Amino acid sequence: MTDKEQRSDTHSEGKKYGTPKAYDPHFRGPVVNRSCTDVLCCMIFILFIMAYILLGLAAWVNGDPRRVAYPTDSQGYFCGQKGTPNENKSILFYFNLLTCTSPSVVVNLQCPTTQICVSKCPERFLTYMEIQFKYKNDSEYWTYYSQFCRTTFLKPVETLSQVFLDNDCPSAIYPSKPFLQRCFPDFSTKNGTLTVGNKTVFDDGSGKKRNAVELRRAANGINKALDARAIGVKVFEDYATTWYWILIGLTIAMFLSWMFVMLLRFTAGLLFWIFTFGVIGIIAYGIWRCYLEYNRLQEQPGSHLNAYTIGIQTDISMYFRLKQTWFALMIILCLLELFIILMLIFLRDRIRISIALLKEGSKAIGYIPSTLIYPALTFFFLSVCISYWAVVAIYLATSGAPIYKVIAPQGQCEHENKTCDPVGFNTTEIAKACPGAQCHFAFYGGKSLYHQYITTFQLLNLFVFLWLINFVIALGQCALAGAFASYYWALKKPDDIPPYPLFTAFGRAIRYHTGSLAFGSLILAIIQMFRLILEYLDKRLQKAQSNISKFLKCCLRCCFWCLEKAVKFLNRNAYVMMAIYGKNFCKSARDAFNLLMRNILKIAVMDRVTDFVLILGKILVAGCIGVLAFLLFTKRLPVIIEGPTSLNYYWVPLLTVIVGSYIVAHGFFSVYAMCIETIFICFCEDLERNDGSTEKPYFITPTLHGILNKKQLVPQKQQK
């Protein structure tokens, strides 16, 4: 397509999607003389940040994170709290662990039994009934047993029924060990049989015989990670042994990512065509295989059978014994193969443009290498936002005084979940109406205005967190776009590239476009907040959903997901236009949308080719590091290098290295993707503004222009 045809085509599309840019002889890259944009949104954003800081200070004054780090007894005091009777008692003990299979555990996240803090866990089997007889001959029995009682007695004067009523002492204790600062039964396995304290059957203190399996089921009602202690210790040991190898692997991944970005300048086309023809070859092999299976089944008895004859089968392999299945697969693969070949034929010029842009992106990053360091700055900002959000959330959750709720062992009390006072609860009407009900600590709160709006503050904390996260990402995209736009609009590259382009673009984004970046990130944060609320309601109302509500939920989830992806794409391109022209968010988004619509086919092909090559690069980097780590951690490189000698689970550092390498590669290639997108938008602007003449020269490089247009570009020496 000639320049004239291309410009006429662009102008015809411009009637529908805006008017293309007119030639401006003074335009030489990102606008320098700018004014602040979206000032109102900037002020709102600053007010929200100030309110967020005040919220953090209020939470810090009222909250106590030790209440999360330490277990809490039935009175609301956490074990090990200084200035309380629990100061030297750091372990939580459950009076009757067998009640933890109650539905109340799932609903209230509390086991409906008395919980006290102790200095150590019981080490033997004893029941309160046994103590009443044994302490007369040996007072040591009661001395040992009384440390697990809520009230100190000189002797066990209460009857068993009174113990159950007042909850002053446990009816029985079992050999236990501390886990996560809680006393859990000391389980072991002998000859394939689960035991606790070398016993399989024991007395629960009320005259009933229980077995270790029942006790294990009750313990799992509180914590399903009883077996994770040993695994956690081994995993920690593996990390302590291999941490420097993991750092070496991530460093190599960083180097490989940099090398891949640099080599794309020379190998982008080769990589794309190799893997494209590889896909074509794989599909062709699938067609040939389906044809062989179809011929083989046609010659066998029962070849007349079809899917209607055999009906619906739970065994999927039954359908692969039908020739119609292989014939249908062959037709599908043939259509897919034909579609790919036709796309390659008709879109060959667009694909060449995409490959050329990949090469140009590598060249731009080579001229501005500081852009490869920017992901580290983004990671730092994101880490600060995440840490602040987590700290504020913990302090808000632990603000206030203890609030107590009624909990019934069987979950069948009309007063359940009502607030109560643990002092004298057993003499109240609720205790009489619901035998066995108890008044237990539920959460921290209060009656002040601050405590009444704790839930609202948590939602505000989450919303501002999402806003800040999206703002940090938007700031990075705008800064990178400004740097790469400076590269593109330099007439003589690299001589005309301004000094410190990334630093300059970052300063412009902060100084002039904070409000616009906040506006775009606000839209995205609102959408994400709606998605989170939808997911929360789905979890809470999962059992009460009908088929219609489930269908509507899936539709809403799909719509919000598509909306979020579309807004992210539009925002990213709006930030590029903002970095170039310095307009506000709405005008930049409008201009970006019109420009993209005028070049929709190029955009579609360019995005797919770029995504394909970059995903390939991420997998390649992570795969190379993963193979090396596997050979190292499994001791298969003893001749070359001596790796760690003793690992409990080699897959722990292996997966850490692979995932970490992928994240490192993603950080590098996100810069690359932003570079390609910026160069493409600048290229579209360039074609609409200029015609390649001496008066209106193209800013695009001659190599890339030779692929984009048939007309020869004016030599760089003649451009002024």
Side-chain angles (χ1 to χ4, degrees), residues 353 356-357 360 488 679 683 700-709:
I353 294 174
L357 286 171
E360 189 69 15
Y488 183 91
I679 290 176
F683 155 68
I700 195 170
T701 57
T703 305
L704 186 55
H705 180 269
I707 297 174
L708 299 174
N709 291 295

Side-chain angles (χ1 to χ4, degrees), residues 99-113 221 406-413 416-417 440:
T99 62
C100 296
T101 56
S102 167
S104 298
V105 178
V106 179
V107 177
N108 303 301
L109 301 178
Q110 289 283 343
C111 183
T113 186
V406 177
I407 297 178
Q410 304 301 323
Q412 298 178 351
C413 176
E416 190 170 17
N417 289 325
H440 278 188

Side-chain angles (χ1 to χ4, degrees), residues 335-346:
L335 293 175
L336 182 60
E337 185 88 328
L338 180 63
F339 175 77
I340 294 176
I341 293 174
L342 291 177
M343 290 292 288
L344 291 175
I345 293 173
F346 290 104

Side-chain angles (χ1 to χ4, degrees), residues 107-213:
V107 177
N108 303 301
L109 301 178
Q110 289 283 343
C111 183
T113 186
T114 302
Q115 303 161 31
I116 64 171
C117 298
V118 295
S119 57
K120 64 177 182 179
C121 296
E123 300 170 348
R124 46 182 158 171
F125 285 101
L126 278 176
T127 65
Y128 186 83
M129 191 176 296
E130 291 175 338
I131 290 298
Q132 288 182 313
F133 297 100
K134 289 184 177 182
Y135 91 97
K136 296 178 181 179
N137 299 325
D138 190 351
S139 60
E140 187 273 335
Y141 280 98
W142 175 245
T143 302
Y144 179 81
Y145 196 90
S146 62
Q147 63 182 325
F148 304 107
C149 292
R150 191 168 58 178
T151 307
T152 303
F153 301 100
L154 296 177
K155 58 181 181 178
V157 294
E158 291 185 333
T159 62
L160 186 60
S161 59
Q162 192 67 26
V163 166
F164 285 141
L165 180 62
D166 296 337
N167 292 308
D168 287 328
C169 291
S171 58
I173 58 175
Y174 322 106
S176 305
K177 287 185 177 181
F179 173 63
L180 297 176
Q181 293 184 280
R182 290 164 174 80
C183 290
F184 284 104
D186 184 14
F187 293 110
S188 60
T189 304
K190 290 188 177 181
N191 299 325
T193 303
L194 183 67
T195 64
V196 54
N198 296 324
K199 287 186 178 182
T200 57
V201 180
F202 52 88
D203 192 350
D204 67 352
S206 61
K208 296 181 180 179
K209 293 293 182 180
R210 302 292 186 120
N211 57 54
V213 176

Side-chain angles (χ1 to χ4, degrees), residues 248-556:
I248 292 173
L250 296 181
T251 304
I252 297 174
M254 188 181 303
F255 177 76
L256 285 179
S257 300
W258 179 80
M259 288 294 297
F260 192 87
V261 170
M262 293 296 103
L263 289 175
L264 274 177
R265 184 190 303 186
F266 311 101
T267 61
L270 179 64
L271 284 174
F272 174 79
W273 292 114
I274 285 177
F275 284 92
T276 299
F277 286 116
V279 171
I280 292 175
I282 292 173
I283 296 176
Y285 172 78
I287 295 172
W288 177 69
R289 190 68 187 176
C290 291
Y291 176 75
L292 291 180
E293 290 293 332
Y294 176 78
N295 279 343
R296 184 181 63 83
L297 292 173
Q298 196 169 15
E299 298 173 357
Q300 291 184 357
S303 61
H304 63 281
L305 296 176
N306 53 43
Y308 295 102
T309 306
I310 65 174
I312 299 176
Q313 299 290 330
T314 56
D315 186 5
I316 304 298
S317 63
M318 290 290 295
Y319 294 102
F320 288 98
R321 299 174 188 174
L322 303 175
K323 65 177 184 179
Q324 286 83 1
T325 302
W326 293 102
F327 182 77
L329 289 175
M330 183 175 64
I331 295 298
I332 294 173
L333 291 177
C334 286
L335 293 175
L336 182 60
E337 185 88 328
L338 180 63
F339 175 77
I340 294 176
I341 293 174
L342 291 177
M343 290 292 288
L344 291 175
I345 293 173
F346 290 104
L347 298 178
R348 61 188 182 276
D349 292 332
R350 309 295 184 184
I351 293 173
R352 290 178 65 202
I353 294 174
S354 300
I355 295 174
L357 286 171
L358 288 170
K359 296 179 180 179
E360 189 69 15
S362 296
K363 188 184 299 184
I365 292 175
Y367 288 139
I368 314 177
S370 58
T371 54
L372 292 176
I373 307 175
Y374 192 85
L377 184 62
T378 300
F379 177 78
F380 172 75
F381 287 148
L382 292 178
S383 300
V384 171
C385 294
I386 294 172
S387 301
Y388 188 83
W389 165 77
V391 169
V392 172
I394 292 174
Y395 272 92
L396 285 174
T398 57
S399 296
I403 301 297
Y404 304 91
K405 296 283 187 179
V406 177
I407 297 178
Q410 304 301 323
Q412 298 178 351
C413 176
E414 61 179 351
H415 301 287
E416 190 170 17
N417 289 325
K418 289 185 178 180
T419 56
C420 58
D421 186 357
V423 179
F425 174 76
N426 293 332
T427 60
T428 62
E429 296 296 329
I430 297 178
K432 296 177 181 179
C434 304
Q438 299 181 20
C439 184
H440 278 188
F441 163 76
F443 53 87
Y444 293 96
K447 297 182 180 180
S448 67
L449 186 64
Y450 168 80
H451 295 103
Q452 291 177 5
Y453 288 94
I454 287 293
T455 303
T456 304
F457 292 150
Q458 287 284 22
L459 291 175
L460 177 63
N461 181 32
L462 178 60
F463 176 73
V464 180
F465 165 71
L466 294 175
W467 196 356
L468 287 174
I469 289 292
N470 288 295
F471 178 82
V472 169
I473 296 174
L475 177 61
Q477 292 173 345
C478 188
L480 290 172
F484 292 125
S486 299
Y487 160 81
Y488 183 91
W489 296 107
L491 195 58
K492 296 180 181 179
K493 303 174 177 62
D495 298 336
D496 290 345
I497 298 177
Y500 312 110
L502 179 60
F503 178 79
T504 304
F506 181 82
R508 281 200 302 259
I510 289 291
R511 181 179 178 182
Y512 297 109
H513 306 303
T514 298
S516 298
L517 297 175
F519 191 10
S521 55
L522 173 63
I523 297 173
L524 199 54
I526 292 173
I527 296 173
Q528 293 171 344
M529 193 70 181
F530 272 112
R531 288 191 65 190
L532 290 175
I533 292 174
L534 184 64
E535 293 294 334
Y536 174 77
L537 294 176
D538 178 42
K539 296 295 182 183
R540 296 284 297 188
L541 305 175
Q542 195 167 12
K543 295 183 179 179
Q545 290 180 355
S546 62
N547 292 331
I548 297 177
S549 61
K550 289 180 180 179
F551 173 76
L552 293 176
K553 175 201 67 178
C554 292
C555 292
L556 286 174

Side-chain angles (χ1 to χ4, degrees), residues 233-245 632-635 642-650 653:
V233 172
K234 292 179 180 179
V235 168
F236 180 79
E237 292 175 352
D238 290 341
Y239 277 126
T241 305
T242 60
W243 65 270
Y244 52 92
W245 292 108
L632 179 66
F633 294 142
T634 55
K635 305 177 185 178
E642 184 69 26
T645 56
S646 57
L647 289 178
N648 299 298
Y649 309 107
Y650 74 88

